[in-house]
Amino acid sequence: MTAVAPGALDGAVLVIGCGLIGTSVGLALRDHQVDVALVDALPGNVEMAVSRGAGRPASDDEQPQLVVVAVPPAAVADVVADALARWSEAVVTDVTSVKSSLQRRVDQSPGADRFAGGHPMAGSERSGPMAASAQLFEGRPWAVTPGPSTRPDALDAVVDLALHVGAVPIIMDAADHDRAVALVSHVPQVMSSLTAARLNDAEGNHLALSGAGLRDTTRIAASDSALWMDILGTNASDVKAVLERVRDDLDRVIGALDGDADELQRVLESGRRGSALIPGKHGSQAASVDVVHVQVADRPGELSRLMADTGESGVNIEDLRLDHDLGRPVGLAEISVAVGVGDSLVEALTSRGWTAYR
């Protein structure tokens, strides 16, 4: 993987598909005054995306510089092939999460040299244009997967798209990308769904004991199951390979629970080491931050006030998480900042009346 520098994006961008990702791309590009045209199989999606400020309805004689295909995985290959044929001067990219099968299809299409695949590692358990956000991609990786015949200018256009929306473009081979997302995205989705599925058998008031850990683990289980059926089916072999290793680990844990404390300790410590490897903002490791905890009262405007006070302290926020349990009058914000500045943020917030600690 190689981090890359900006290219150039000057002409109109046509977004095909006005769901969460497509509309978010439009919103982020419009923040940079890029001309964005929108089209969707459902006219209502275009109307909602336009009402959000994501662009304008595409005209019949549209001549885009760049086409972004943001349709469901099952349809993306046909739409990409059609876009390459219809707009013979345009660069075409996509946002689907599995690249190898798509690249094989594109390689057989005229205009393959104008295609470079893309995959933003950002999303939500919610879907549709009303869930979109111009900030969805900020600081998030955007895989760019050029094919064997992709022209340099086509690659530059897709890289610049990622940079315009605030993402961090990373160039990868399509097959390498699919192995990577099986590990960091697709299997976590399966594990989240499996954990949430166990809740259907919960007894009595057991779920009343739920806390932040369970919500964190099961949040993405609420994602669109039809979408994930497409994704898992398309990347089945790579997902299966990771799940087989997870199965081996589960067998180790089950065996260790019979009294092998040393083996159980090894499994848990391996998890701790792996967790520390997860990149944070702009690729920095998650472990290289200070975390400041702040109590936030459950009333309108408090979170905004906290953000303003943090900004006035001169400390840059690397990440933010808000935990709010049912029935509690306060929430708990976890603010991640650069190593070495956590104590100064605690001091600054405490002086402004916040209950803050590390």
Side-chain angles (χ1 to χ4, degrees):
M1 288 187 259
T2 307
V4 291
L9 184 62
D10 302 315
V13 175
L14 173 64
V15 177
I16 303 178
C18 298
L20 168 69
I21 300 298
T23 303
S24 295
V25 167
L27 289 168
L29 290 178
R30 289 301 301 144
D31 279 353
H32 293 275
Q33 288 74 53
V34 175
D35 180 20
V36 179
L38 303 169
V39 64
D40 192 286
L42 299 175
N45 281 353
V46 175
E47 292 176 6
M48 284 189 282
V50 170
S51 72
R52 297 285 315 280
R56 57 176 174 79
S59 63
D60 292 338
D61 59 351
E62 206 69 53
Q63 293 298 324
Q65 176 202 9
L66 175 66
V67 178
V68 181
V69 176
V71 301
V76 68
D78 288 338
V79 177
V80 166
D82 179 72
L84 288 168
R86 182 174 178 182
W87 294 286
S88 60
E89 299 298 321
V91 172
V92 178
T93 189
D94 74 302
V95 296
T96 195
S97 65
V98 184
K99 313 312 300 184
S100 296
S101 57
L102 173 60
Q103 188 63 56
R104 287 192 295 269
R105 169 71 181 277
V106 171
D107 288 341
Q108 300 171 9
S109 303
D113 62 335
R114 292 181 285 109
F115 175 78
H119 178 209
M121 297 301 296
S124 170
E125 67 277 12
R126 299 183 299 141
S127 61
M130 298 309 293
S133 167
Q135 289 75 46
L136 184 66
F137 311 108
E138 288 189 357
R140 302 300 304 158
W142 188 300
V144 181
T145 59
S149 64
T150 300
R151 297 184 333 215
D153 63 312
L155 176 59
D156 287 346
V158 178
V159 166
D160 202 55
L161 167 68
L163 292 168
H164 268 74
V165 301
V168 182
I170 301 174
I171 298 177
M172 305 181 71
D173 172 79
D176 190 30
H177 165 275
D178 290 354
R179 289 191 296 271
V181 293
L183 176 65
V184 304
S185 176
H186 301 170
V187 166
Q189 175 68 42
V190 173
M191 300 305 293
S192 178
S193 296
L194 288 172
T195 301
R198 291 296 88 226
L199 304 180
N200 293 312
D201 300 326
E203 300 179 17
N205 63 349
H206 288 189
L207 293 181
L209 301 181
S210 301
L214 181 64
R215 287 196 297 275
D216 287 349
T217 303
T218 60
R219 178 183 60 81
I220 58 175
S223 300
D224 184 350
S225 58
L227 172 65
W228 275 101
M229 284 292 291
D230 276 350
I231 293 171
L232 296 174
T234 308
N235 204 28
S237 60
D238 287 322
V239 171
K240 182 179 178 182
V242 179
L243 283 174
E244 286 172 343
R245 295 195 292 273
V246 172
R247 180 183 61 195
D248 293 341
D249 290 339
L250 283 173
D251 287 341
R252 290 171 58 202
V253 171
I254 291 170
L257 289 172
D258 287 332
D260 190 345
D262 290 340
E263 177 65 7
L264 188 59
Q265 177 74 11
R266 281 191 290 270
V267 171
L268 296 175
E269 286 301 319
S270 179
R272 282 173 54 86
R273 292 193 301 273
S275 177
L277 297 175
I278 299 173
K281 183 179 179 182
H282 300 302
S284 60
Q285 284 196 342
S288 59
V289 295
D290 287 348
V291 178
V292 174
H293 300 84
V294 187
Q295 291 187 6
V296 182
D298 183 17
R299 57 176 178 262
E302 285 299 279
L303 186 58
S304 296
R305 186 169 70 87
L306 174 60
M307 296 299 94
D309 287 349
T310 301
E312 290 176 7
S313 74
V315 174
N316 186 51
I317 297 175
E318 300 293 325
D319 200 3
L320 172 68
R321 169 182 158 184
L322 185 64
D323 175 25
H324 192 176
D325 289 334
L326 184 66
R328 291 176 57 191
V330 296
L332 185 66
E334 294 184 1
I335 303 175
S336 297
V337 297
V339 170
V341 300
D343 290 340
S344 62
L345 179 59
V346 169
E347 182 178 349
L349 292 177
T350 300
S351 69
R352 289 171 167 81
W354 296 96
T355 300
Y357 57 90
R358 289 189 58 197

